[in-house]
Amino acid sequence: GENVEQHPSTLSVQEGDSAVIKCTYSDSASNYFPWYKQELGKRPQLIIDIRSNVGEKKDQRIAVTLNKTAKHFSLHITETQPEDSAVYFCAVSTGFQKLVFGTGTRLLVSP
Amino acid sequence: DTEVTQTPKHLVMGMTNKKSLKCEQHMGHRAMYWYKQKAKKPPELMFVYSYEKLSINESVPSRFSPECPNSSLLNLHLHALQPEDSALYLCASGTSELFFGEGSRLTVL
C-alpha cells in the first residue's frame, strides 16, 4: 500500500518567517495531494490541494509544489502568523477514495 | 450547508456495552468515511461507503460495524470494544476534498 513520510515532525518559527513541510510517497499512481490543518481539539480542514498534472499551486500565503518524478511534495507558508500554529497533515490518494495521511507536522509560530 | 455533524461528541463505554456513533451530511456527497485518530497521530481510514454501499473496509475488527441507512447518514455500531479502541472517531464526506466532522471522542473502560 501507499506509504507517506512527512518531515519535520515539529517546526518552530518566529512570526513573519516562512515554514516548509515536506512529504514523500511511494505509489507512482497517486494523483491527488491535499494538505489538511488540524487545530487542537478541532477537525482536520483542507487548506490547499494539488493534482498530478500541476507542478505548483498558490493561495495567498500558502503554496504547494509537486515533483512527481521524485515523488515528493511540499507545503510552503510565507509570513507566518500565530494563528497558523496547528498540526499539518499531508495526504495522498490514488483516486479510489482512499486517502493516506502523513505523520503530521506540529507548527508553532511564536509572536 | 458545508457541515458534517457527528453525535455524540463524547462517549464512555464499558467493554461489554453496545453503542453507536452517528454522522450526518447534507452536501449531497455520495461517499462517506469513518476514520480513527489516536492522540498525536494522523487519521487512519476504517471504512468507505460509496452510493450507500460499503466499498472499502481496511481490515477493521468486527467489533466495529458500519451502516449507511441513506445517502445522508452514516453510523458506526460498537460492541465489545477494547481499551485500545479509545480514540477520536472522525466521519467525513466528499470525493476529492473531504469534509470532516468534529469527531466523537470515545473512551473504553
Side-chain angles (χ1 to χ4, degrees):
Chain A
E2 177 66 271
N3 183 40
V4 183
E5 293 187 4
Q6 183 172 343
H7 299 280
S9 57
T10 307
L11 180 58
S12 294
V13 299
Q14 292 291 123
E15 183 177 0
D17 287 350
S18 295
V20 181
I21 303 170
K22 299 181 180 180
C23 286
T24 60
Y25 60 98
S26 58
D27 189 346
S28 57
S30 297
N31 57 14
Y32 177 62
F33 308 89
W35 286 88
Y36 283 82
K37 175 183 180 182
Q38 188 173 27
E39 297 178 26
L40 191 63
K42 299 283 185 70
R43 71 187 83 191
Q45 290 191 292
L46 180 76
I47 55 171
I48 196 166
D49 57 9
I50 193 168
R51 297 190 181 274
S52 58
N53 58 346
V54 176
E56 183 174 357
K57 184 176 178 181
K58 191 173 182 181
D59 183 4
Q60 299 183 4
R61 297 186 297 108
I62 294 173
V64 56
T65 58
L66 172 65
N67 183 327
K68 279 222 75 177
T69 303
K71 289 190 245 174
H72 68 71
F73 58 112
S74 299
L75 176 71
H76 304 253
I77 306 174
T78 58
E79 301 172 27
T80 54
Q81 301 167 3
E83 51 265 38
D84 294 329
S85 297
V87 178
Y88 291 81
F89 293 102
C90 64
V92 176
S93 172
T94 55
F96 293 103
Q97 300 177 324
K98 191 169 177 177
L99 200 61
V100 178
F101 285 83
T103 47
T105 296
R106 185 170 301 276
L107 174 64
L108 177 62
V109 181
S110 301
Chain B
D1 184 2
T2 58
E3 283 262 320
V4 175
T5 305
Q6 288 187 244
T7 56
K9 287 186 170 29
H10 300 275
L11 179 62
V12 179
M13 61 186 291
M15 288 189 284
T16 58
N17 291 158
K18 282 186 181 181
K19 297 286 184 182
S20 297
L21 307 181
K22 297 184 183 300
C23 175
E24 188 170 5
Q25 59 93 10
H26 294 289
M27 292 177 279
H29 294 152
R30 302 315 297 263
M32 295 185 74
Y33 311 75
W34 281 114
Y35 279 84
K36 173 182 178 180
Q37 187 176 28
K38 302 278 269 185
K40 299 187 179 182
K41 296 290 187 182
E44 292 180 11
L45 183 63
M46 300 175 71
F47 302 104
V48 181
Y49 271 84
S50 180
Y51 290 88
E52 301 161 47
K53 292 190 189 310
L54 183 65
S55 60
I56 296 177
N57 176 344
E58 288 288 278
S59 302
V60 179
S62 60
R63 57 186 184 268
F64 294 92
S65 175
E67 178 196 19
C68 189
N70 60 54
S71 60
S72 300
L73 295 174
L74 186 65
N75 298 324
L76 186 62
H77 303 297
L78 314 171
H79 174 55
L81 295 192
Q82 304 295 311
E84 59 263 30
D85 296 323
S86 298
L88 181 68
Y89 289 84
L90 292 162
C91 173
S93 70
T95 306
S96 296
E97 177 178 359
L98 295 191
F99 293 82
F100 285 88
E102 291 285 6
S104 293
R105 188 163 299 281
L106 173 67
T107 302
V108 182
L109 301 177

Short mmCIF file of all heavy atoms in Angstrom, two decimals, chain A residues 25-76:
data_model
loop_
_atom_site.label_atom_id
_atom_site.label_comp_id
_atom_site.label_asym_id
_atom_site.label_seq_id
_atom_site.Cartn_x
_atom_site.Cartn_y
_atom_site.Cartn_z
N TYR A 25 6.11 10.09 -1.03
CA TYR A 25 5.17 8.99 -1.15
C TYR A 25 5.77 7.90 -2.01
O TYR A 25 6.79 8.09 -2.68
CB TYR A 25 3.83 9.49 -1.70
CG TYR A 25 3.90 10.11 -3.08
CD1 TYR A 25 3.60 9.38 -4.22
CD2 TYR A 25 4.27 11.45 -3.23
CE1 TYR A 25 3.65 9.95 -5.48
CE2 TYR A 25 4.33 12.03 -4.48
CZ TYR A 25 4.03 11.28 -5.61
OH TYR A 25 4.09 11.86 -6.85
N SER A 26 5.11 6.73 -1.99
CA SER A 26 5.73 5.58 -2.65
C SER A 26 5.01 5.13 -3.92
O SER A 26 5.66 4.59 -4.83
CB SER A 26 5.79 4.40 -1.67
OG SER A 26 4.48 4.07 -1.20
N ASP A 27 3.72 5.36 -4.01
CA ASP A 27 2.93 4.84 -5.13
C ASP A 27 2.92 5.84 -6.29
O ASP A 27 2.33 6.91 -6.18
CB ASP A 27 1.50 4.55 -4.66
CG ASP A 27 0.68 3.80 -5.70
OD1 ASP A 27 1.10 3.73 -6.88
OD2 ASP A 27 -0.40 3.30 -5.35
N SER A 28 3.54 5.47 -7.39
CA SER A 28 3.63 6.38 -8.54
C SER A 28 2.27 6.63 -9.19
O SER A 28 2.12 7.55 -9.98
CB SER A 28 4.61 5.83 -9.58
OG SER A 28 4.21 4.54 -9.98
N ALA A 29 1.25 5.82 -8.84
CA ALA A 29 -0.10 6.03 -9.38
C ALA A 29 -0.86 7.11 -8.62
O ALA A 29 -1.96 7.51 -9.04
CB ALA A 29 -0.88 4.72 -9.35
N SER A 30 -0.32 7.58 -7.52
CA SER A 30 -1.00 8.62 -6.74
C SER A 30 -1.17 9.88 -7.56
O SER A 30 -0.25 10.28 -8.30
CB SER A 30 -0.20 8.94 -5.47
OG SER A 30 -0.13 7.79 -4.65
N ASN A 31 -2.35 10.50 -7.47
CA ASN A 31 -2.62 11.63 -8.34
C ASN A 31 -3.29 12.82 -7.66
O ASN A 31 -3.65 13.81 -8.32
CB ASN A 31 -3.49 11.18 -9.53
CG ASN A 31 -4.78 10.54 -9.07
OD1 ASN A 31 -5.17 10.65 -7.91
ND2 ASN A 31 -5.46 9.85 -9.97
N TYR A 32 -3.48 12.75 -6.35
CA TYR A 32 -4.13 13.85 -5.64
C TYR A 32 -3.42 14.03 -4.31
O TYR A 32 -3.21 13.06 -3.57
CB TYR A 32 -5.61 13.53 -5.44
CG TYR A 32 -6.37 14.56 -4.64
CD1 TYR A 32 -6.50 15.87 -5.10
CD2 TYR A 32 -6.96 14.24 -3.43
CE1 TYR A 32 -7.19 16.82 -4.37
CE2 TYR A 32 -7.65 15.18 -2.69
CZ TYR A 32 -7.76 16.47 -3.16
OH TYR A 32 -8.44 17.42 -2.44
N PHE A 33 -3.05 15.32 -4.01
CA PHE A 33 -2.18 15.58 -2.87
C PHE A 33 -2.72 16.77 -2.08
O PHE A 33 -2.38 17.92 -2.34
CB PHE A 33 -0.75 15.87 -3.36
CG PHE A 33 -0.23 14.80 -4.29
CD1 PHE A 33 -0.44 14.90 -5.66
CD2 PHE A 33 0.44 13.70 -3.80
CE1 PHE A 33 0.01 13.91 -6.53
CE2 PHE A 33 0.91 12.72 -4.66
CZ PHE A 33 0.70 12.83 -6.01
N PRO A 34 -3.56 16.52 -1.09
CA PRO A 34 -4.10 17.62 -0.28
C PRO A 34 -3.28 17.84 0.99
O PRO A 34 -2.54 16.95 1.44
CB PRO A 34 -5.50 17.11 0.08
CG PRO A 34 -5.35 15.62 0.15
CD PRO A 34 -4.25 15.25 -0.84
N TRP A 35 -3.44 19.02 1.55
CA TRP A 35 -2.87 19.36 2.85
C TRP A 35 -4.01 19.76 3.79
O TRP A 35 -4.86 20.57 3.42
CB TRP A 35 -1.88 20.51 2.74
CG TRP A 35 -0.58 20.13 2.12
CD1 TRP A 35 -0.27 20.13 0.79
CD2 TRP A 35 0.59 19.67 2.80
NE1 TRP A 35 1.02 19.71 0.60
CE2 TRP A 35 1.58 19.42 1.81
CE3 TRP A 35 0.93 19.45 4.14
CZ2 TRP A 35 2.87 18.96 2.13
CZ3 TRP A 35 2.20 19.01 4.46
CH2 TRP A 35 3.16 18.76 3.46
N TYR A 36 -3.99 19.18 5.00
CA TYR A 36 -5.01 19.48 5.99
C TYR A 36 -4.36 20.14 7.20
O TYR A 36 -3.24 19.79 7.59
CB TYR A 36 -5.74 18.21 6.45
CG TYR A 36 -6.75 17.72 5.44
CD1 TYR A 36 -6.37 16.96 4.34
CD2 TYR A 36 -8.10 18.04 5.57
CE1 TYR A 36 -7.30 16.52 3.41
CE2 TYR A 36 -9.04 17.61 4.65
CZ TYR A 36 -8.62 16.85 3.57
OH TYR A 36 -9.54 16.43 2.65
N LYS A 37 -5.09 21.07 7.79
CA LYS A 37 -4.68 21.75 9.02
C LYS A 37 -5.61 21.31 10.14
O LYS A 37 -6.84 21.32 9.95
CB LYS A 37 -4.77 23.26 8.84
CG LYS A 37 -4.46 24.09 10.09
CD LYS A 37 -4.66 25.58 9.79
CE LYS A 37 -4.37 26.45 11.00
NZ LYS A 37 -4.61 27.90 10.73
N GLN A 38 -5.04 20.89 11.26
CA GLN A 38 -5.87 20.48 12.39
C GLN A 38 -5.43 21.25 13.64
O GLN A 38 -4.35 21.03 14.17
CB GLN A 38 -5.77 18.97 12.64
CG GLN A 38 -6.77 18.47 13.68
CD GLN A 38 -6.78 16.96 13.81
OE1 GLN A 38 -5.79 16.28 13.54
NE2 GLN A 38 -7.92 16.40 14.22
N GLU A 39 -6.28 22.17 14.06
CA GLU A 39 -6.03 22.89 15.30
C GLU A 39 -6.41 22.00 16.47
O GLU A 39 -7.17 21.05 16.33
CB GLU A 39 -6.81 24.20 15.30
CG GLU A 39 -6.37 25.13 14.17
CD GLU A 39 -7.17 26.43 14.12
OE1 GLU A 39 -7.70 26.84 15.17
OE2 GLU A 39 -7.27 27.01 13.04
N LEU A 40 -5.86 22.31 17.63
CA LEU A 40 -6.04 21.48 18.82
C LEU A 40 -7.52 21.29 19.13
O LEU A 40 -8.27 22.26 19.27
CB LEU A 40 -5.32 22.12 20.01
CG LEU A 40 -5.20 21.24 21.26
CD1 LEU A 40 -4.37 20.01 20.96
CD2 LEU A 40 -4.59 22.03 22.40
N GLY A 41 -7.94 20.03 19.19
CA GLY A 41 -9.33 19.73 19.52
C GLY A 41 -10.32 19.98 18.40
O GLY A 41 -11.54 19.91 18.62
N LYS A 42 -9.82 20.28 17.20
CA LYS A 42 -10.72 20.59 16.08
C LYS A 42 -10.60 19.52 14.98
O LYS A 42 -9.77 18.63 15.04
CB LYS A 42 -10.36 21.97 15.50
CG LYS A 42 -10.50 23.12 16.48
CD LYS A 42 -11.93 23.50 16.68
CE LYS A 42 -12.12 24.72 17.56
NZ LYS A 42 -11.68 25.96 16.91
N ARG A 43 -11.45 19.67 14.00
CA ARG A 43 -11.45 18.74 12.87
C ARG A 43 -10.35 19.09 11.87
O ARG A 43 -9.96 20.26 11.78
CB ARG A 43 -12.81 18.81 12.17
CG ARG A 43 -13.02 20.09 11.39
CD ARG A 43 -14.44 20.19 10.84
NE ARG A 43 -15.37 20.70 11.82
CZ ARG A 43 -16.68 20.70 11.67
NH1 ARG A 43 -17.23 20.18 10.59
NH2 ARG A 43 -17.48 21.18 12.61
N PRO A 44 -9.85 18.13 11.12
CA PRO A 44 -8.93 18.47 10.01
C PRO A 44 -9.69 19.26 8.95
O PRO A 44 -10.82 18.94 8.62
CB PRO A 44 -8.50 17.11 9.47
CG PRO A 44 -8.85 16.12 10.53
CD PRO A 44 -10.04 16.67 11.23
N GLN A 45 -9.03 20.30 8.41
CA GLN A 45 -9.66 21.10 7.36
C GLN A 45 -8.68 21.27 6.21
O GLN A 45 -7.49 21.56 6.42
CB GLN A 45 -10.09 22.47 7.90
CG GLN A 45 -11.26 22.38 8.86
CD GLN A 45 -11.87 23.73 9.19
OE1 GLN A 45 -11.22 24.53 9.84
NE2 GLN A 45 -13.09 23.95 8.77
N LEU A 46 -9.20 21.11 5.00
CA LEU A 46 -8.37 21.26 3.81
C LEU A 46 -7.92 22.70 3.65
O LEU A 46 -8.72 23.62 3.76
CB LEU A 46 -9.17 20.85 2.58
CG LEU A 46 -8.43 20.94 1.24
CD1 LEU A 46 -7.47 19.77 1.12
CD2 LEU A 46 -9.41 20.95 0.07
N ILE A 47 -6.61 22.90 3.44
CA ILE A 47 -6.11 24.26 3.21
C ILE A 47 -5.66 24.46 1.77
O ILE A 47 -5.74 25.57 1.24
CB ILE A 47 -4.98 24.63 4.19
CG1 ILE A 47 -3.83 23.62 4.14
CG2 ILE A 47 -5.52 24.76 5.60
CD1 ILE A 47 -2.60 24.06 4.92
N ILE A 48 -5.18 23.44 1.12
CA ILE A 48 -4.76 23.54 -0.28
C ILE A 48 -4.57 22.12 -0.80
O ILE A 48 -4.30 21.20 -0.03
CB ILE A 48 -3.47 24.38 -0.42
CG1 ILE A 48 -3.26 24.81 -1.88
CG2 ILE A 48 -2.26 23.65 0.12
CD1 ILE A 48 -2.22 25.91 -2.05
N ASP A 49 -4.74 21.96 -2.10
CA ASP A 49 -4.51 20.65 -2.70
C ASP A 49 -3.93 20.84 -4.10
O ASP A 49 -3.98 21.93 -4.68
CB ASP A 49 -5.78 19.79 -2.75
CG ASP A 49 -6.93 20.48 -3.50
OD1 ASP A 49 -6.72 21.53 -4.13
OD2 ASP A 49 -8.06 19.97 -3.44
N ILE A 50 -3.35 19.76 -4.63
CA ILE A 50 -2.75 19.81 -5.96
C ILE A 50 -2.94 18.46 -6.62
O ILE A 50 -2.96 17.42 -5.94
CB ILE A 50 -1.25 20.22 -5.89
CG1 ILE A 50 -0.71 20.59 -7.25
CG2 ILE A 50 -0.41 19.12 -5.23
CD1 ILE A 50 0.66 21.27 -7.20
N ARG A 51 -3.11 18.50 -7.92
CA ARG A 51 -3.26 17.26 -8.67
C ARG A 51 -2.00 17.00 -9.49
O ARG A 51 -1.20 17.90 -9.71
CB ARG A 51 -4.50 17.32 -9.57
CG ARG A 51 -5.76 17.45 -8.74
CD ARG A 51 -7.03 17.27 -9.53
NE ARG A 51 -8.19 17.43 -8.65
CZ ARG A 51 -8.71 16.46 -7.92
NH1 ARG A 51 -8.19 15.25 -7.98
NH2 ARG A 51 -9.75 16.68 -7.14
N SER A 52 -1.87 15.76 -9.98
CA SER A 52 -0.60 15.33 -10.55
C SER A 52 -0.27 16.01 -11.87
O SER A 52 0.86 15.93 -12.33
CB SER A 52 -0.60 13.81 -10.74
OG SER A 52 -1.67 13.42 -11.56
N ASN A 53 -1.23 16.68 -12.49
CA ASN A 53 -0.94 17.36 -13.74
C ASN A 53 -0.50 18.82 -13.54
O ASN A 53 -0.35 19.57 -14.50
CB ASN A 53 -2.17 17.31 -14.67
CG ASN A 53 -3.39 17.93 -14.03
OD1 ASN A 53 -3.42 18.18 -12.83
ND2 ASN A 53 -4.40 18.20 -14.83
N VAL A 54 -0.28 19.19 -12.27
CA VAL A 54 0.11 20.56 -11.93
C VAL A 54 1.37 20.50 -11.08
O VAL A 54 1.50 19.63 -10.23
CB VAL A 54 -1.01 21.28 -11.16
CG1 VAL A 54 -0.58 22.66 -10.73
CG2 VAL A 54 -2.27 21.35 -12.02
N GLY A 55 2.32 21.43 -11.30
CA GLY A 55 3.56 21.41 -10.54
C GLY A 55 3.54 22.30 -9.31
O GLY A 55 4.26 22.05 -8.35
N GLU A 56 2.71 23.35 -9.36
CA GLU A 56 2.68 24.29 -8.26
C GLU A 56 1.31 24.95 -8.19
O GLU A 56 0.65 25.18 -9.21
CB GLU A 56 3.76 25.36 -8.44
CG GLU A 56 3.86 26.35 -7.29
CD GLU A 56 5.04 27.31 -7.43
OE1 GLU A 56 5.81 27.16 -8.40
OE2 GLU A 56 5.18 28.19 -6.58
N LYS A 57 0.89 25.24 -6.97
CA LYS A 57 -0.38 25.93 -6.77
C LYS A 57 -0.22 26.87 -5.59
O LYS A 57 0.40 26.51 -4.59
CB LYS A 57 -1.50 24.92 -6.51
CG LYS A 57 -2.88 25.52 -6.38
CD LYS A 57 -3.91 24.39 -6.22
CE LYS A 57 -5.30 24.91 -6.04
NZ LYS A 57 -6.27 23.79 -5.86
N LYS A 58 -0.80 28.08 -5.72
CA LYS A 58 -0.63 29.07 -4.66
C LYS A 58 -1.99 29.66 -4.28
O LYS A 58 -2.85 29.86 -5.12
CB LYS A 58 0.30 30.19 -5.15
CG LYS A 58 0.76 31.14 -4.06
CD LYS A 58 1.81 32.09 -4.59
CE LYS A 58 2.30 33.01 -3.48
NZ LYS A 58 3.32 33.97 -3.95
N ASP A 59 -2.16 29.91 -2.98
CA ASP A 59 -3.37 30.54 -2.48
C ASP A 59 -2.95 31.48 -1.36
O ASP A 59 -2.73 31.08 -0.23
CB ASP A 59 -4.37 29.50 -1.97
CG ASP A 59 -5.67 30.12 -1.49
OD1 ASP A 59 -5.84 31.35 -1.62
OD2 ASP A 59 -6.52 29.38 -0.98
N GLN A 60 -2.79 32.75 -1.70
CA GLN A 60 -2.37 33.79 -0.76
C GLN A 60 -1.02 33.42 -0.14
O GLN A 60 -0.02 33.34 -0.84
CB GLN A 60 -3.47 34.03 0.28
CG GLN A 60 -4.78 34.51 -0.35
CD GLN A 60 -5.86 34.83 0.66
OE1 GLN A 60 -5.67 34.77 1.87
NE2 GLN A 60 -7.03 35.17 0.16
N ARG A 61 -0.96 33.17 1.17
CA ARG A 61 0.33 32.90 1.80
C ARG A 61 0.74 31.43 1.74
O ARG A 61 1.80 31.05 2.25
CB ARG A 61 0.27 33.33 3.28
CG ARG A 61 0.04 34.80 3.50
CD ARG A 61 0.13 35.16 4.99
NE ARG A 61 -0.89 34.52 5.79
CZ ARG A 61 -0.67 33.52 6.64
NH1 ARG A 61 0.55 33.02 6.82
NH2 ARG A 61 -1.67 33.02 7.36
N ILE A 62 -0.10 30.61 1.15
CA ILE A 62 0.15 29.17 1.13
C ILE A 62 0.41 28.71 -0.29
O ILE A 62 -0.28 29.13 -1.23
CB ILE A 62 -1.07 28.42 1.71
CG1 ILE A 62 -1.23 28.76 3.19
CG2 ILE A 62 -0.93 26.91 1.54
CD1 ILE A 62 -2.51 28.20 3.79
N ALA A 63 1.39 27.83 -0.46
CA ALA A 63 1.69 27.26 -1.77
C ALA A 63 2.06 25.79 -1.59
O ALA A 63 2.56 25.38 -0.54
CB ALA A 63 2.82 28.02 -2.45
N VAL A 64 1.80 25.03 -2.62
CA VAL A 64 2.20 23.63 -2.63
C VAL A 64 2.94 23.36 -3.94
O VAL A 64 2.54 23.85 -5.00
CB VAL A 64 1.00 22.67 -2.46
CG1 VAL A 64 -0.06 22.90 -3.51
CG2 VAL A 64 1.44 21.22 -2.46
N THR A 65 4.04 22.62 -3.85
CA THR A 65 4.80 22.23 -5.03
C THR A 65 4.84 20.71 -5.10
O THR A 65 4.88 20.03 -4.06
CB THR A 65 6.23 22.77 -4.99
OG1 THR A 65 6.88 22.31 -3.80
CG2 THR A 65 6.23 24.30 -4.99
N LEU A 66 4.83 20.17 -6.30
CA LEU A 66 4.82 18.73 -6.51
C LEU A 66 5.90 18.34 -7.50
O LEU A 66 6.01 18.93 -8.58
CB LEU A 66 3.45 18.30 -7.05
CG LEU A 66 3.30 16.85 -7.52
CD1 LEU A 66 3.47 15.88 -6.36
CD2 LEU A 66 1.96 16.65 -8.21
N ASN A 67 6.69 17.35 -7.14
CA ASN A 67 7.68 16.77 -8.03
C ASN A 67 7.32 15.29 -8.20
O ASN A 67 7.64 14.45 -7.37
CB ASN A 67 9.10 16.91 -7.43
CG ASN A 67 10.18 16.40 -8.37
OD1 ASN A 67 9.97 15.44 -9.13
ND2 ASN A 67 11.34 17.03 -8.34
N LYS A 68 6.61 14.98 -9.28
CA LYS A 68 6.14 13.61 -9.48
C LYS A 68 7.27 12.63 -9.74
O LYS A 68 7.20 11.47 -9.38
CB LYS A 68 5.14 13.57 -10.64
CG LYS A 68 3.75 14.01 -10.28
CD LYS A 68 2.70 13.11 -10.92
CE LYS A 68 2.58 11.77 -10.23
NZ LYS A 68 1.52 10.93 -10.78
N THR A 69 8.32 13.11 -10.39
CA THR A 69 9.45 12.23 -10.70
C THR A 69 10.11 11.75 -9.42
O THR A 69 10.42 10.56 -9.25
CB THR A 69 10.48 12.95 -11.57
OG1 THR A 69 9.81 13.43 -12.75
CG2 THR A 69 11.62 12.03 -11.95
N ALA A 70 10.31 12.68 -8.50
CA ALA A 70 10.95 12.35 -7.23
C ALA A 70 9.95 11.86 -6.19
O ALA A 70 10.36 11.45 -5.10
CB ALA A 70 11.70 13.57 -6.70
N LYS A 71 8.69 11.94 -6.49
CA LYS A 71 7.61 11.53 -5.58
C LYS A 71 7.68 12.29 -4.26
O LYS A 71 7.68 11.67 -3.17
CB LYS A 71 7.63 10.01 -5.36
CG LYS A 71 7.19 9.24 -6.60
CD LYS A 71 6.97 7.77 -6.28
CE LYS A 71 7.97 6.95 -7.04
NZ LYS A 71 7.97 5.54 -6.73
N HIS A 72 7.74 13.61 -4.36
CA HIS A 72 7.62 14.39 -3.15
C HIS A 72 6.89 15.69 -3.43
O HIS A 72 6.84 16.17 -4.56
CB HIS A 72 8.97 14.61 -2.44
CG HIS A 72 9.95 15.47 -3.17
ND1 HIS A 72 9.81 16.83 -3.33
CD2 HIS A 72 11.13 15.15 -3.74
CE1 HIS A 72 10.85 17.30 -3.98
NE2 HIS A 72 11.66 16.31 -4.25
N PHE A 73 6.26 16.22 -2.38
CA PHE A 73 5.55 17.48 -2.49
C PHE A 73 5.72 18.24 -1.18
O PHE A 73 6.01 17.65 -0.14
CB PHE A 73 4.08 17.28 -2.85
CG PHE A 73 3.27 16.42 -1.91
CD1 PHE A 73 2.25 16.98 -1.15
CD2 PHE A 73 3.48 15.05 -1.81
CE1 PHE A 73 1.49 16.20 -0.30
CE2 PHE A 73 2.73 14.26 -0.96
CZ PHE A 73 1.73 14.84 -0.21
N SER A 74 5.60 19.55 -1.26
CA SER A 74 5.91 20.40 -0.12
C SER A 74 4.85 21.47 0.07
O SER A 74 4.25 21.95 -0.89
CB SER A 74 7.26 21.07 -0.31
OG SER A 74 8.31 20.13 -0.42
N LEU A 75 4.67 21.84 1.32
CA LEU A 75 3.79 22.96 1.69
C LEU A 75 4.67 24.12 2.11
O LEU A 75 5.59 23.95 2.92
CB LEU A 75 2.87 22.55 2.86
CG LEU A 75 1.96 23.64 3.40
CD1 LEU A 75 0.84 23.96 2.40
CD2 LEU A 75 1.35 23.20 4.74
N HIS A 76 4.38 25.30 1.56
CA HIS A 76 5.14 26.49 1.89
C HIS A 76 4.17 27.52 2.48
O HIS A 76 3.16 27.85 1.84
CB HIS A 76 5.79 27.09 0.63
CG HIS A 76 6.67 26.13 -0.10
ND1 HIS A 76 8.05 26.21 -0.09
CD2 HIS A 76 6.37 25.05 -0.88
CE1 HIS A 76 8.54 25.23 -0.84
NE2 HIS A 76 7.55 24.51 -1.32
#
